[in-house]
Amino acid sequence: MFPRKKHLLFLIVLLPFLAHAQEGSQLWLRYKPVEKHIASQRRIGLRDQHKTAQLARKELERYWSGPTIEMHIDKGAKRLKEGYQIKGSASGIHLNAAEPIGLLYGAYHLLRLQETKADMRNLFLEEIPDYDIRILNHWDNLDRTVERGYAGYSLWLWDELPGKLSPRYEQYARANASIGINATVLNNVNASPEILTSEYIVKVKAIAAVFRKYGIKVYLSANFSAPKVLDGLADSDPLRKPVQQWWETKVKEIYQQIPDFGGFLVKANSEGQPGPQDYGRTHADGANMLADALKPYGGLVMWRAFVYNPTAEDRAKQAYQEFVPLDGEFRDNVIIQIKNGPIDFQPREPVTPLFGAMTHTPQMIEFQITQEYLGFSNHLVYLAPLFKETLDSDTYANGPGTTVARVTDGSTFKNKKTAISAVANIGEDANWTGHDFAQANWYAFGRLAWNHQLSSEQIAEEWIRQTFSNDAQFVLPVRQMMMRSREVAVDYMMPLGLHHIFAYGHHYGPEPWGEMEGGRPDWMPWYYHNADTVGVGFDRTTAGSGAVSQYKEPLRSTFNKLESCPENLLLWFHHVPWTHRMKSGRTLWDELCMHYDRGVHEVRAFQKVWDTLQPYVDKQRFEQVQSKLKIQAKDAVWWKDACLLYFQTFSKMPIPYQVERPIHELQELKKIKLDMKHHN
Ligand code: GCW
C-alpha cells in the first residue's frame, strides 16, 4: 500500500526540517515560523531602512507570535551603546535602541523570552552590554585544521572564497548575534603570515561582508614576522622605519577592502612565535608599532600576555614579570589579552595575578571554550561556572570588590575600549561543536560577555529551554547535571589544585608520569605535581617559587598559608604531605582518592539522568549524547586509576576501601599512546 501522493509530498517537505532539527545544527535558534493568521493580527513597525534594523524586523515578522512591536532608533540615546530598551504589555511592545544592532539584539532577546516561555505581561528592561567588544578567537589554520578544535574542520572554506559563500557563514553570524557576540578572529594565533597577503585579504573581505549586517567585525591574528616572510624585508624589527612602513601599507590595504576591520590579535615571543624580543625590543615596542598603523582607522591591537620560557623561574610567574614593568607603556588602542589562569586553561586555576596588577593598561580576559584540557568534545563540561569563577574573583587591585569583571569592564580603570574573548569550539560538524552540550559553552560565553552578572544557572536554563525542551521534568535535572559537570571533571581529572598532568601533545587523558626525552621541563607533568614520598603539589609560597607574592593582600597571605589556602587550590600553591589532615579530617591521600571516586560516580549518575530523559529528546541527539556519556564514564575511570595508582607509588598508602577499586594495571596505562596527529 503506497502512501497517498499528498502524504508523500508532506514527508518530502517536512523531513528535512525534522532531520534538520534533530542533528543539533539549529543550536538554540529553533524558532518556528509564526502562523499567518497570528502574523496578520499584529504589526512589526519600523521606519529605519538600515540593513541590520530590517533584519531585526524580518526575524520578528517571521518568528514573533506575540503582540505588535514598534521598533525605534533614538540616536541620542548614546548611553545604550549597542544595547536596547524593551517596554510593553499584552497590548504592545516598544523596542528602542541607539543603533540598528541594538534592535537586532533586542529582537533576539524577545524571541528568547518567547522560546523560554518567559512571563512577558509586564516588560520593562534595559540592556547595555558590559563589554564593548565580545570576540571569539578561532584557532583555525589556513589548511582548515583547527588547533585544539574537536568539531571537525574549520568553517572557513578558503579555497572557495571569495567567490563562493558557504551558508554556514550567515548561520554562524546569526548564532553569534543572537547572543551578542560582535567580533571574531578568523585565524589561529599561531598565525600563518599568508592571511595578510592580498589574495587572503580579499577572501576575508567576503566573509566580513556576510557578517556586517549581524554587527560582527572581523579581526585577524597577525604573525609578527610577516614583513620579512611575505616581502623579504631584512627583518621585522618594530623600531625600524621600513618595517613600520610595511605595516602602515598593509593596514591601509586591509581597510581599503574592509573599512570596518577590527584589528590584530598577536601572539608574540610565545611558544616559538616571532616577536619584538627577537630584536631586543619589548612587547610595548611591538604592540605600539601595530597600534600606530591601525590608529588612523580606529583599529585595535589585542596583544597576548601568554608568554613563558623554559627558565628556572616558575612558569606561573613569567607573564606578570614580563608585563607589569610595561604598565602604561602601551598605546591606548592596545588591549592586553590575558588567560583566566596563570598557566594554561586548566580545569581549575587561581586567577592570574596580572589582572589588576596593571592599572594603566586595558586588559581583556581570554577564556577557552574549546575543551583542550577538559575532554575535547567527548566530555560534558558546562563552562559557565568556570567563567564566572574568574569574573567574580577579587583581585584587590583597587581594594576589595575589584573583581576581574570590574577590572576588565572599564568600571574600575575607565578604559576607553573594553573587550572579552574566548577560544571558539566551533567547526564544521553538523552540531557545530562536536558535543551537543558544548553548544552551551559558546552560548554561555556570549551571554556573559553581554552581562557578566548573569548566573550560570540562568544561562543553562535559557539554553536548555531553547535547545531542547521547556518541560520542567527535563529542564531541572539537565540544569543540575550541567551545573555539577565542571566540578565533576575537576574531580576525576585534577582535584585539589593538581594541574597539567595530562598526556603530552594532544592533552587527552591522564599521564602524570609523562616524560618526553629532551622535552621542556615546563611541559612535563612532574614539573607541576612534584610528587615524592613526602607529598605532592607545587610550592608557590614565599618559601617556594614565591608566585603568591604576585597577588595583592589578602590573597597573598591567604594562598601562602597552608591552613588558609582554599583546598581546591591546595596543590597549586603548596607541596603537601600525603598525611596532611584536610578540613574533612581525612588525610590528603584519602581526600584525593575520594575526589577521583566521586568524579567517576557522578559521571555515571549523568548517564542515568540522561537515560531517564529519553522521552523528551529527539532520537538522534539523545543517542549522540548517550554515547558521549559512555566515553566520559570510561575516561573518568581511566583518569582515576591512572592518577591514584601512579601517586600511590609515592604515598605508599592504601586506597580507602570504600573507594571503587582500580580496574587497570598502571604498567598497561603507561603504554597508552593515543595517535591524534591533527589535534597537535
Ligand atoms: O593552550 C595552549 C595550547 C596551544 C595554544 C597556546 C596558546 C594556539 O596548547 O595549542 O596555541 O596555548 O594559547 O597560544
Short mmCIF file of all heavy atoms in Angstrom, two decimals, residues 139 141 143-154 188 376-377 429 505-506 674-680:
data_model
loop_
_atom_site.label_atom_id
_atom_site.label_comp_id
_atom_site.label_asym_id
_atom_site.label_seq_id
_atom_site.Cartn_x
_atom_site.Cartn_y
_atom_site.Cartn_z
N TRP A 139 41.11 29.33 16.50
CA TRP A 139 42.49 28.85 16.28
C TRP A 139 42.50 27.98 15.02
O TRP A 139 42.97 26.86 15.02
CB TRP A 139 42.98 28.07 17.49
CG TRP A 139 43.31 28.93 18.67
CD1 TRP A 139 43.30 30.30 18.75
CD2 TRP A 139 43.71 28.46 19.96
NE1 TRP A 139 43.67 30.71 20.00
CE2 TRP A 139 43.93 29.62 20.77
CE3 TRP A 139 43.90 27.22 20.53
CZ2 TRP A 139 44.34 29.53 22.12
CZ3 TRP A 139 44.32 27.13 21.86
CH2 TRP A 139 44.53 28.28 22.64
N ASN A 141 43.58 27.09 11.28
CA ASN A 141 44.69 27.23 10.33
C ASN A 141 44.15 27.35 8.91
O ASN A 141 43.02 26.97 8.63
CB ASN A 141 45.62 26.02 10.45
CG ASN A 141 46.22 25.92 11.84
OD1 ASN A 141 46.78 26.89 12.34
ND2 ASN A 141 46.06 24.77 12.49
N ASP A 143 44.94 25.70 6.42
CA ASP A 143 44.70 24.39 5.78
C ASP A 143 43.42 23.77 6.33
O ASP A 143 43.15 22.59 6.12
CB ASP A 143 45.90 23.46 6.00
CG ASP A 143 46.07 23.09 7.48
OD1 ASP A 143 45.25 23.54 8.32
OD2 ASP A 143 47.02 22.35 7.81
N ARG A 144 42.68 24.53 7.12
CA ARG A 144 41.37 24.18 7.67
C ARG A 144 41.44 23.20 8.83
O ARG A 144 40.42 22.76 9.34
CB ARG A 144 40.38 23.73 6.60
CG ARG A 144 40.04 24.85 5.63
CD ARG A 144 38.88 24.49 4.71
NE ARG A 144 37.68 24.22 5.49
CZ ARG A 144 36.95 23.11 5.35
NH1 ARG A 144 37.33 22.18 4.50
NH2 ARG A 144 35.87 22.93 6.08
N THR A 145 42.65 22.85 9.28
CA THR A 145 42.72 22.14 10.56
C THR A 145 42.49 23.20 11.64
O THR A 145 42.72 24.38 11.40
CB THR A 145 44.12 21.52 10.78
OG1 THR A 145 45.10 22.57 10.70
CG2 THR A 145 44.40 20.46 9.73
N VAL A 146 42.01 22.74 12.78
CA VAL A 146 41.74 23.66 13.89
C VAL A 146 42.58 23.24 15.08
O VAL A 146 42.40 22.13 15.60
CB VAL A 146 40.24 23.67 14.27
CG1 VAL A 146 39.99 24.62 15.43
CG2 VAL A 146 39.39 24.04 13.06
N GLU A 147 43.50 24.10 15.48
CA GLU A 147 44.33 23.77 16.64
C GLU A 147 43.44 23.68 17.88
O GLU A 147 42.67 24.61 18.16
CB GLU A 147 45.40 24.84 16.85
CG GLU A 147 46.31 24.54 18.00
CD GLU A 147 47.69 25.20 17.88
OE1 GLU A 147 47.96 25.80 16.83
OE2 GLU A 147 48.46 25.09 18.83
N ARG A 148 43.54 22.54 18.59
CA ARG A 148 42.70 22.32 19.78
C ARG A 148 41.20 22.38 19.42
O ARG A 148 40.37 22.79 20.23
CB ARG A 148 43.02 23.32 20.88
CG ARG A 148 44.50 23.46 21.16
CD ARG A 148 45.16 22.16 21.51
NE ARG A 148 46.59 22.34 21.80
CZ ARG A 148 47.43 21.34 21.96
NH1 ARG A 148 47.01 20.09 21.85
NH2 ARG A 148 48.71 21.55 22.20
N GLY A 149 40.90 22.02 18.20
CA GLY A 149 39.49 22.02 17.78
C GLY A 149 38.99 20.59 17.68
O GLY A 149 39.72 19.69 17.27
N TYR A 150 37.71 20.36 18.10
CA TYR A 150 37.21 18.98 18.20
C TYR A 150 35.81 18.88 17.61
O TYR A 150 34.99 18.06 18.00
CB TYR A 150 37.20 18.53 19.67
CG TYR A 150 38.48 18.89 20.37
CD1 TYR A 150 38.52 19.94 21.30
CD2 TYR A 150 39.69 18.27 20.06
CE1 TYR A 150 39.69 20.32 21.90
CE2 TYR A 150 40.88 18.65 20.66
CZ TYR A 150 40.89 19.67 21.59
OH TYR A 150 42.06 20.07 22.17
N ALA A 151 35.55 19.76 16.61
CA ALA A 151 34.22 19.76 15.99
C ALA A 151 34.37 19.70 14.47
O ALA A 151 33.58 20.28 13.73
CB ALA A 151 33.46 21.04 16.39
N GLY A 152 35.40 19.02 14.03
CA GLY A 152 35.63 18.91 12.58
C GLY A 152 36.53 20.03 12.09
O GLY A 152 37.12 20.78 12.87
N TYR A 153 36.61 20.13 10.77
CA TYR A 153 37.50 21.13 10.18
C TYR A 153 36.91 22.53 10.31
O TYR A 153 35.75 22.72 10.68
CB TYR A 153 37.76 20.76 8.71
CG TYR A 153 38.73 19.61 8.60
CD1 TYR A 153 38.28 18.30 8.43
CD2 TYR A 153 40.11 19.81 8.77
CE1 TYR A 153 39.16 17.23 8.38
CE2 TYR A 153 41.00 18.74 8.73
CZ TYR A 153 40.52 17.46 8.54
OH TYR A 153 41.40 16.41 8.51
N SER A 154 37.75 23.51 9.96
CA SER A 154 37.37 24.92 10.09
C SER A 154 36.18 25.28 9.20
O SER A 154 36.02 24.73 8.10
CB SER A 154 38.58 25.79 9.68
OG SER A 154 38.20 27.14 9.52
N ASN A 188 44.23 31.30 13.44
CA ASN A 188 44.99 30.86 14.60
C ASN A 188 46.01 31.90 15.06
O ASN A 188 46.63 32.58 14.25
CB ASN A 188 45.73 29.57 14.19
CG ASN A 188 46.30 28.82 15.38
OD1 ASN A 188 46.25 29.30 16.51
ND2 ASN A 188 46.82 27.64 15.11
N PHE A 376 38.03 17.34 25.35
CA PHE A 376 37.71 17.56 23.93
C PHE A 376 36.18 17.64 23.77
O PHE A 376 35.50 18.19 24.62
CB PHE A 376 38.28 16.44 23.07
CG PHE A 376 39.78 16.41 22.96
CD1 PHE A 376 40.60 17.17 23.77
CD2 PHE A 376 40.40 15.59 22.02
CE1 PHE A 376 41.99 17.13 23.66
CE2 PHE A 376 41.79 15.53 21.89
CZ PHE A 376 42.57 16.30 22.71
N SER A 377 35.65 17.05 22.67
CA SER A 377 34.18 17.12 22.51
C SER A 377 33.55 15.81 22.97
O SER A 377 32.47 15.44 22.53
CB SER A 377 33.81 17.39 21.05
OG SER A 377 34.41 16.42 20.23
N ASP A 429 31.31 20.34 12.01
CA ASP A 429 30.38 19.27 12.43
C ASP A 429 28.95 19.78 12.33
O ASP A 429 28.69 20.96 12.56
CB ASP A 429 30.64 18.86 13.89
CG ASP A 429 31.76 17.84 14.01
OD1 ASP A 429 32.35 17.51 12.95
OD2 ASP A 429 32.06 17.40 15.12
N GLY A 505 51.33 16.66 24.37
CA GLY A 505 50.99 16.89 22.95
C GLY A 505 49.53 17.14 22.74
O GLY A 505 49.10 18.28 22.68
N HIS A 506 48.74 16.07 22.68
CA HIS A 506 47.31 16.28 22.38
C HIS A 506 46.51 16.66 23.62
O HIS A 506 45.44 17.23 23.53
CB HIS A 506 46.71 15.03 21.72
CG HIS A 506 46.99 13.76 22.47
ND1 HIS A 506 46.42 13.46 23.70
CD2 HIS A 506 47.80 12.71 22.18
CE1 HIS A 506 46.87 12.29 24.12
NE2 HIS A 506 47.73 11.82 23.23
N LEU A 674 48.01 7.71 22.53
CA LEU A 674 46.95 7.96 21.54
C LEU A 674 47.54 8.65 20.33
O LEU A 674 48.36 9.55 20.45
CB LEU A 674 45.87 8.84 22.17
CG LEU A 674 45.15 8.27 23.39
CD1 LEU A 674 44.10 9.25 23.89
CD2 LEU A 674 44.52 6.92 23.07
N ASP A 675 47.10 8.21 19.14
CA ASP A 675 47.61 8.85 17.93
C ASP A 675 46.60 9.91 17.48
O ASP A 675 45.55 9.61 16.94
CB ASP A 675 47.78 7.80 16.82
CG ASP A 675 48.00 8.50 15.49
OD1 ASP A 675 48.51 9.64 15.53
OD2 ASP A 675 47.62 7.94 14.44
N MET A 676 46.90 11.20 17.82
CA MET A 676 45.92 12.24 17.48
C MET A 676 46.64 13.33 16.72
O MET A 676 46.65 14.48 17.10
CB MET A 676 45.34 12.81 18.77
CG MET A 676 44.69 11.76 19.60
SD MET A 676 43.10 12.40 20.01
CE MET A 676 43.13 12.20 21.76
N LYS A 677 47.22 12.94 15.58
CA LYS A 677 48.14 13.88 14.93
C LYS A 677 47.48 15.23 14.69
O LYS A 677 48.01 16.27 15.02
CB LYS A 677 48.70 13.32 13.63
CG LYS A 677 47.64 12.87 12.63
CD LYS A 677 48.27 12.04 11.52
CE LYS A 677 47.17 11.48 10.64
NZ LYS A 677 46.14 10.78 11.44
N HIS A 678 46.23 15.24 14.17
CA HIS A 678 45.71 16.55 13.78
C HIS A 678 45.24 17.36 14.97
O HIS A 678 44.81 18.48 14.84
CB HIS A 678 44.60 16.43 12.73
CG HIS A 678 43.33 15.87 13.28
ND1 HIS A 678 43.15 14.54 13.52
CD2 HIS A 678 42.18 16.47 13.68
CE1 HIS A 678 41.94 14.34 14.00
NE2 HIS A 678 41.34 15.49 14.12
N HIS A 679 45.37 16.78 16.16
CA HIS A 679 44.97 17.59 17.32
C HIS A 679 46.15 18.36 17.90
O HIS A 679 46.01 19.11 18.82
CB HIS A 679 44.36 16.71 18.41
CG HIS A 679 42.89 16.48 18.17
ND1 HIS A 679 42.03 17.52 17.91
CD2 HIS A 679 42.15 15.37 18.11
CE1 HIS A 679 40.82 17.04 17.71
NE2 HIS A 679 40.85 15.75 17.84
N ASN A 680 47.36 18.13 17.35
CA ASN A 680 48.51 18.83 17.99
C ASN A 680 48.56 20.30 17.57
O ASN A 680 47.97 20.63 16.56
CB ASN A 680 49.81 18.13 17.55
CG ASN A 680 49.94 16.85 18.37
OD1 ASN A 680 49.37 16.78 19.46
ND2 ASN A 680 50.58 15.88 17.84
#
